[in-house]
Amino acid sequence: MNICIPVHSRTGNTRSVAERLKQTLEGSGHSVRIIDVRSPGGSGQAPGEMSFDGVTTLGGFDGIIFGSPVHAFSLAPDMEAFMGLLPSLEGKTIACFVTQAFPFPWMGGFRAIRQMTRLCRARGTNVSGTDVVNWGRKCRERLVTRTVERIASLFG
């Protein structure tokens, strides 16, 4: 399967999860490409002023895994804008994950996942699986491993 991982990461935490996913999926025989989601002028621009490299390249992928940090108890604005610019995702296997500093997923993680799920549905597809990594917990490594295993299993 040809899989794309669009990921927004300011500190590198979310990208490190994407890298682990890529390694695991490639080990299972998949072709994986990570696309860094960053607005040209930085975060905080109005969505209409944002443009992203790679938006039109998602058509050639069978599966897409969106990864983003949680900002202010919500989906990061750059990822929200990126997902809002996407064409139809119909017929693709979709998964989403978020990372957050707070120790519990109800502190913004679940809300960010719901936002991602709604954006995917608006693009004609359902999300096959989601997960939240709470970066502030002592068991972070176990949570990252769980997320990688759960999401990778969706892609056979």
Side-chain angles (χ1 to χ4, degrees):
M1 187 178 266
N2 194 15
I3 301 168
C4 179
I5 306 175
V7 62
H8 174 62
S9 184
R10 281 189 180 169
T11 63
N13 294 342
T14 309
R15 194 168 205 304
S16 71
V17 177
E19 291 285 349
R20 293 255 310 263
L21 269 165
K22 178 180 180 185
Q23 181 181 12
T24 299
L25 289 164
E26 286 179 339
S28 297
H30 300 288
S31 173
V32 182
R33 178 178 171 201
I34 294 176
I35 293 176
D36 289 306
V37 174
R38 284 182 235 135
S39 62
S43 293
Q45 289 184 314
E49 299 171 3
M50 299 175 119
S51 62
F52 300 91
D53 293 335
V55 172
T56 59
T57 64
L58 298 185
F61 294 98
D62 308 307
I64 302 170
I65 304 167
F66 295 101
S68 176
V70 174
H71 288 182
F73 298 96
S74 296
L75 180 60
D78 284 5
M79 182 56 80
E80 183 176 11
F82 174 78
M83 292 177 78
L85 293 172
L86 293 173
S88 173
L89 299 173
E90 193 172 342
K92 298 183 185 309
T93 302
I94 306 290
C96 303
F97 73 91
V98 295
T99 60
Q100 68 178 80
F102 290 118
F104 303 106
W106 53 266
M107 301 176 94
F110 289 152
R111 181 174 187 211
I113 288 293
R114 283 192 307 271
Q115 290 170 303
M116 294 172 102
T117 301
R118 275 193 294 265
L119 286 162
C120 289
R121 283 190 190 131
R123 304 286 163 302
T125 192
N126 288 316
V127 175
S128 298
T130 64
D131 213 351
V132 178
V133 177
N134 306 99
W135 215 259
R137 300 216 32 207
K138 290 180 182 179
C139 61
R140 174 181 61 218
E141 182 57 34
R142 187 168 34 102
L143 295 173
V144 171
T145 299
R146 178 200 68 190
T147 296
V148 169
E149 289 172 356
R150 282 182 180 177
I151 290 180
S153 72
L154 301 172
F155 298 89

